[in-house]
Amino acid sequence: MNGTETHTLVATVADHPGVLTRVASLFRRRGFNIASLAVGHSEEPGYSRMTIAVEGSAEEVKQCEKQLYKLVEVVSVRNLTGAPAVSRELAMIKVRVRATERPGLAEITDIFRGEIVDVSKTSMIVQMTGAQSKIDRFLDVITEYPIEEISRTGVIAIARDDVGPRNGRARG
Amino acid sequence: MSATNGQSTNGSTAAPKTPRTGGEVVCDAMLAAGVDVIFGMPGGASLPFYDSLYHYQDRIRHVLIRHEQAAGFAANGYARATGKVGVATSTSGPGATNMVTCMANDIMDSVGVVYITGQVARPAIGSDAFQEADVTGISIPITKHSYLVMDVDDLPRVMSEAFHLASTGRPGPVHVDIPKDVFLETTTETAPDQVNLRGYRPSKVGNARMVRKAAEVINASERPIIMAGHGIDISGAAEELLQLATRGSIPVVSTLHGVGTFPETHPLSFGMLGMHGLAYANFSMRQTDCIIGLGTRFDDRAVGKEDEFGPGAKVVHIDIDPAEIGKVLETDVPIVGDLKLTLQKLLPLIESRDRTPWLDQMNGWRRDHPSLKIPDSPDSVLPQEVVRAIYDISGGEARVIADVGQNQMWASQHFWYERPRMFFSAGGLGPMGYALPAAMGVKLADESQDVWCVTGDGGLLINIQEFNTLAAEGINVKVAVLNNAHLGMIRQWQEFFYEGRYMGAFLDNPDFAKVAQAFGLHGVGTSSRDEMKDAIAMAHEYDGPVVLDLHVDRVENVYPMIVPGTGVNSVIEDPR
C-alpha cells in the first residue's frame, strides 16, 4: 500500500454502553486496520478517551477520522501523528529466569529504565513504560531469555501543551 | 404533557407533569415531529406500544403491513415524499430482523426513518428469551444511530434525539429498541427544549473562502458540468440549482436520486449519467474541465472507471457529509455545508457566461446518440413504451416509484421528471421488492398525487403480500408490472457477460391480474399495445388501486450500458 504508516488518533467519546462496539464495527466494516486501541476515562465525567493506532496511508487515515467523527457519540478526533505529542505504552513481560540469570535481566531492565515488579522462583515480571519503539527494542534485546507472557496496553497519547489543542474536527 | 398538545412542554417546573407511559412518549414524539402515519405489525414485545397507538388512533394512522420489510420501505417512501421522518415499527426478534434490509437501504440512500422495535422485557434480555434478538447489535453498522432504552425516564430525550438525527444533516435511519416493560412504565420526564448532542453538529453554510474559490474555478472553466445528486432534493435546493445552471449556462446531469432535481425538459438538462445513463450525459463527463458535484457521493454506478471520469477536470464538491468529500475523487474545492444555504452564497459570485461552444458540443452528442429512441417492435410491447405511456397519460404529473433492475432504469429514462420528489427508487442498496411498499408510503404522504408503482415481475413477487395492504387500507396506488417473465437485468448480464448461459433468470410467474383480483384489487392483464395504453388510461381514471400485468418483450435490454469496470469509452448503445 502507498505510504502506509501507523497514525495515532485520539478520540473523545461519550461513555455510553456500546460505544466501543460502534468504533470497532466502523473500523471493521470500512477495512481500517487497528494496530492498537486503548480506552479509559478522560478528565471529564461521562466521556472516555480512546487512543487508536491505525495503519494506513494519509488519505485512508483522513477518511477514517471523518468516518469516526460521523459517529454521534464521538465528540472529537485528533490525529497526533507528526504533531508535538507525548505517546507512551505500558508493557508487562513475564520472563522465565533461573536464579543465576536474575542479575542479567535486572541489569538490562535497569538500562531501559524498566522495573521488576514481581519475582518468583522461576520467573520475573518486568514492567516497561515508554514509547512503543523502546518496548520493541527491549524485547529485541532480551531474546536470550524465554518469554512466557507479554501484555501490552497499546499506545496512549496526549498533545503537548505549548502548541495548544489542534482543531480535531474532521474537515474536507 | 407533550409538545404536541400545544402546551408548554419542556423543562417547565411550574406545571405539574402528567405521567406518561413509554408507549405514549413515542406517540407524542411522532406528533411533535409532524408524523401522523406509522407502518408496522404488532407482536408480543410491542403490544404495550400498540395499546398506546389504540388511544392515539384519532391522531396517528397505523397502517398494518403484511411483512415488516414493507413497513420500512413504506416509511422510506413516506419520508422521501414528505421530507419529514418516516416511522416503522415491529416487535422484537423476527419482526425487527425483517426490517434490517430497510435500515441498510435508508443509510445508503440518506433517508430519515425512525424504527421503533419492541424488545423482550429488561429482566429477560440476554437470556435467549422467546423472540429475543440483539437487534441493536445488528443495526449498528446500518443505522445513523441506535438506542436500546433501558430506563423510561430516558425515552423522551431519546425520541427527540432520534427524530432530530434522522432528519438533520445527512438524513438516515435511527433505531430505537424499547423493551416491553419500558413501554409500560410511566415517566414524568419530558423532552429537552433543544436536542443537545456534543458529537453531532451538522454544518450549515459552507466555508466562505472555499465558496469564493469555487466561484473562481467555475467562472474560469470553459466546459463545466453540474452533477446534481440527492442532496439537492434533501436540502430543498432545486431553485438554487436552476439559478446556478441558467446564470452560468452550465449543463446539468443528474445521478439516479438526482433525477427531477433539475427540470428534465430544460435545454440545459442532459439527463442521468452512469452505467445506464444517457450516452450524451456520459460523453460530457469525459470532456468537461470542471465537475460541480452537488449533494452526490460519486457512487460507482454513476462514476464508472474513475480515471475516465472527467480526466484533468477540476472538481468542486459541495456536500453536507465531510466524509464524502475526497472519498472517491480528488477534490480541488471541497465545501462542507447545506446545499441550499451554500448555493445561496455561491450564486451572486457566478458570472453570466456564454458557453455556446460547449453546449453545441453536448447537443451534438445528444443529436448523434439519441439514447431515448424507442425502436420499432411489431411483435411485442417494449417496456419503455409502458413508461412512456404512463408519462403521456399522466401528463408527466405522476409520482413514479420504481423497483430495482431493468424496470428502474427504464422508469428513470423514459419519463421526464420536472420536479424533485417525482421519481423514487432504491439506488444504493438496490433491494428488489422496494417499489410496492414504498409506493404505499408515497401515496399516504400526499393522497392528492397520482402514484404509479413501476415494477418488474421479479421484484413484485418479493413483497406481493402488500396487495393485501393496498386492498384493506384502500391505498390508491397504480401498479404497472413490466412482466418479461425474467429477472431481466440478470438475463441481460448473462447475455452480455456469460455468453448466454442463463441460470436462475427465468420466472415461471402466476397470473398477476388474477392474483390481484384474489386480493380484492382491480387487476388487468394484457400483451397488446392498444390494450396496454387503454389499461393505463383506465387505471389513471379509476378511483382505487389497480394492478396492470403488462406482458412486455421478454428479452429487451437496457441501453446504453457501460460495461462494469470500464469507462464511457466502451459504452454499449442500442444496436437497432
Side-chain angles (χ1 to χ4, degrees):
Chain A
M1 201 155 287
N2 223 0
T4 295
E5 56 174 326
T6 302
H7 294 251
T8 307
L9 304 182
V10 175
T12 307
V13 303
D15 185 13
H16 291 169
V19 66
L20 187 58
T21 309
R22 289 183 204 278
V23 170
S25 166
L26 168 66
F27 276 78
R28 181 191 51 74
R29 72 178 179 268
R30 298 252 174 209
F32 302 125
N33 284 323
I34 301 183
S36 71
L37 189 156
V39 55
H41 295 300
S42 73
E43 70 288 352
E44 192 178 351
Y47 292 89
S48 302
R49 184 146 292 122
M50 282 186 187
T51 307
I52 311 162
V54 197
E55 288 165 359
S57 68
E59 297 77 53
E60 286 168 334
V61 174
K62 185 80 196 158
Q63 176 64 206
C64 179
E65 283 174 56
K66 289 174 174 182
Q67 292 294 346
L68 262 179
Y69 195 72
K70 278 177 74 168
L71 298 179
V72 171
E73 286 158 336
V74 173
V75 172
S76 71
V77 185
R78 302 156 80 181
N79 187 343
L80 296 185
T81 315
V86 180
S87 63
R88 291 290 180 268
E89 184 176 12
L90 169 70
M92 289 191 289
I93 304 135
K94 187 190 279 181
V95 187
R96 182 152 295 279
V97 277
R98 289 188 295 271
T100 53
E101 294 171 321
R102 282 182 193 145
L105 183 63
E107 189 188 0
I108 301 169
T109 304
D110 199 39
I111 292 169
F112 277 85
R113 285 187 279 173
E115 262 181 79
I116 309 286
V117 290
D118 189 64
V119 180
S120 76
K121 281 179 184 165
T122 56
S123 68
M124 300 207 302
I125 297 173
V126 178
Q127 170 190 299
M128 189 64 62
T129 313
Q132 210 158 17
S133 55
K134 174 182 149 183
I135 295 169
D136 291 341
R137 180 120 184 90
F138 175 74
L139 291 171
D140 287 344
V141 169
I142 59 162
T143 45
E144 65 190 89
Y145 301 95
I147 292 171
E148 210 159 76
E149 210 176 319
I150 300 175
S151 188
R152 297 174 70 155
T153 58
V155 69
I156 58 169
I158 198 160
R160 285 185 201 272
D161 216 11
D162 50 353
V163 289
R166 280 162 42 122
N167 182 0
R169 293 218 168 198
R171 289 278 176 213
Chain B
M1 288 300 288
S2 80
T4 54
N5 297 343
Q7 300 178 9
S8 107
T9 36
N10 313 320
S12 152
T13 46
K17 291 170 179 173
T18 316
R20 296 180 294 163
T21 65
E24 288 165 350
V25 168
V26 175
C27 293
D28 286 340
M30 279 184 64
L31 292 170
V35 180
D36 52 8
V37 182
I38 185 169
F39 301 92
M41 183 181 281
S46 66
L47 276 173
F49 178 45
Y50 271 72
D51 198 44
S52 301
L53 285 171
Y54 178 87
H55 294 290
Y56 278 73
Q57 281 179 81
D58 55 330
R59 285 159 285 169
I60 296 174
R61 177 174 178 179
H62 173 261
V63 176
L64 176 67
I65 44 62
R66 267 56 175 178
H67 183 300
E68 289 86 351
Q69 184 179 98
F73 288 160
N76 173 297
Y78 177 90
R80 290 183 61 178
T82 56
K84 295 192 285 195
V85 174
V87 182
T89 187
S90 77
T91 191
S92 61
T97 55
N98 274 346
M99 297 200 297
V100 165
T101 304
C102 311
M103 297 178 189
N105 181 54
D106 297 330
I107 195 121
M108 287 287 263
D109 285 351
S110 310
V111 180
V113 174
V114 169
Y115 291 87
I116 308 291
T117 57
Q119 180 55 275
V120 300
R122 282 167 296 181
I125 289 179
S127 72
D128 302 318
F130 176 65
Q131 292 193 331
E132 182 185 3
D134 173 19
V135 285
T136 44
I138 293 169
S139 68
I140 279 178
I142 49 170
T143 51
K144 186 169 173 181
H145 198 48
S146 59
Y147 299 89
L148 170 60
V149 184
M150 294 296 278
D151 184 341
V152 73
D153 288 341
D154 292 337
L155 193 58
R157 173 185 56 78
V158 165
M159 288 310 302
S160 69
E161 286 176 7
F163 279 99
H164 178 72
L165 287 166
S167 58
T168 54
R170 180 177 180 176
V174 179
H175 177 198
V176 186
D177 197 26
I178 306 176
K180 183 173 188 175
D181 52 338
V182 174
F183 276 129
L184 284 166
E185 284 192 351
T186 58
T187 179
T188 54
E189 291 295 320
T190 54
D193 287 325
Q194 286 216 313
V195 170
N196 181 24
L197 290 161
R198 259 178 74 182
Y200 180 76
R201 299 269 193 275
S203 304
K204 298 232 162 34
V205 189
N207 177 286
R209 191 171 61 83
M210 280 297 158
V211 169
R212 283 197 300 277
K213 194 175 164 200
E216 283 167 25
V217 168
I218 294 167
N219 289 335
S221 71
E222 302 289 329
R223 299 182 305 282
I225 193 152
I226 294 168
M227 184 169 161
H230 193 190
I232 299 279
D233 166 20
I234 295 169
S235 162
E239 179 54 35
E240 287 76 10
L241 168 63
L242 184 64
Q243 286 183 36
L244 175 67
T246 48
R247 181 169 304 181
S249 297
I250 306 170
V252 180
V253 297
S254 76
T255 66
L256 183 70
H257 284 325
V259 161
T261 57
F262 189 76
E264 291 199 305
T265 55
H266 194 285
L268 286 170
S269 170
F270 288 82
M272 186 179 83
L273 84 172
M275 180 177 281
H276 291 295
L278 308 183
Y280 44 88
N282 285 321
F283 289 145
S284 54
M285 298 315 295
R286 191 176 49 181
Q287 295 291 327
T288 179
D289 63 355
C290 176
I291 298 168
I292 307 161
L294 304 180
T296 169
R297 60 186 170 89
F298 293 111
D299 167 64
D300 59 282
R301 283 294 193 268
V303 167
K305 205 172 170 187
E306 285 156 34
D307 48 10
E308 286 184 37
F309 189 79
K314 297 264 192 207
V315 176
V316 175
H317 190 182
I318 310 179
D319 200 280
I320 199 154
D321 183 354
E324 290 304 339
I325 293 179
K327 188 182 89 176
V328 175
L329 298 184
E330 254 184 70
T331 306
D332 299 276
V333 188
I335 303 178
V336 179
D338 173 76
L339 264 173
K340 189 182 184 73
L341 299 176
T342 306
L343 288 179
Q344 283 170 350
K345 295 284 180 213
L346 177 66
L347 276 170
L349 310 176
I350 296 297
E351 290 165 7
S352 181
R353 260 199 73 169
D354 174 42
R355 290 191 163 96
T356 308
W358 172 228
L359 292 171
D360 284 351
Q361 196 178 9
M362 289 189 63
N363 281 312
W365 290 318
R366 195 200 308 252
R367 188 180 58 242
D368 299 338
H369 299 271
S371 303
L372 296 179
K373 186 171 164 285
I374 301 179
D376 289 335
S377 173
D379 300 326
S380 60
V381 177
L382 296 182
Q384 302 92 304
E385 296 178 67
V386 174
V387 176
R388 203 68 74 85
I390 295 171
Y391 177 73
D392 291 338
I393 288 164
S394 69
E397 286 297 316
R399 286 182 145 172
V400 175
I401 297 88
D403 207 68
V404 171
Q406 288 186 316
N407 64 84
Q408 181 182 27
M409 295 298 108
W410 287 316
S412 73
Q413 291 174 338
H414 291 274
F415 195 111
W416 285 266
Y417 301 93
E418 297 291 274
R419 298 189 299 282
R421 299 179 188 171
M422 295 298 280
F423 174 68
F424 306 83
S425 89
L429 188 72
M432 280 169 61
Y434 169 81
L436 179 59
M440 303 192 311
V442 171
K443 184 66 191 183
L444 293 183
D446 182 354
E447 299 200 63
S448 71
Q449 302 286 313
D450 288 337
V451 172
W452 278 87
C453 163
V454 174
T455 177
D457 39 322
L460 175 66
L461 276 165
I462 288 181
N463 274 315
I464 199 165
Q465 77 286 342
E466 296 312 312
F467 277 178
N468 195 196
T469 312
L470 284 189
E473 300 275 339
I475 303 173
N476 190 355
V477 168
K478 319 299 182 188
V479 182
V481 187
L482 307 183
N483 184 349
N484 59 5
H486 281 92
L487 297 169
M489 194 62 95
I490 297 301
R491 197 209 57 76
Q492 177 170 348
W493 281 52
Q494 289 178 340
E495 177 190 330
F496 283 15
F497 310 126
Y498 296 88
E499 298 164 327
R501 293 188 298 278
Y502 300 113
M503 185 68 202
F506 179 72
L507 294 173
D508 197 359
N509 284 321
D511 180 332
F512 291 118
K514 281 190 181 157
V515 172
Q517 288 158 14
F519 275 103
L521 298 172
H522 189 32
V524 176
T526 179
S527 57
S528 109
R529 180 167 283 115
D530 288 342
E531 285 180 15
M532 178 271 285
K533 287 182 181 166
D534 288 348
I536 289 171
M538 176 279 294
H540 181 67
E541 294 300 325
Y542 189 82
D543 184 22
V546 178
V547 176
L548 305 181
D549 183 13
L550 305 171
H551 296 262
V552 295
D553 193 288
R554 293 190 166 197
V555 293
E556 180 65 8
N557 289 321
V558 178
Y559 295 106
M561 180 176 194
I562 295 175
V563 176
T566 73
V568 64
N569 295 329
S570 45
V571 63
I572 306 172
E573 292 187 81
D574 195 331
R576 290 162 292 185

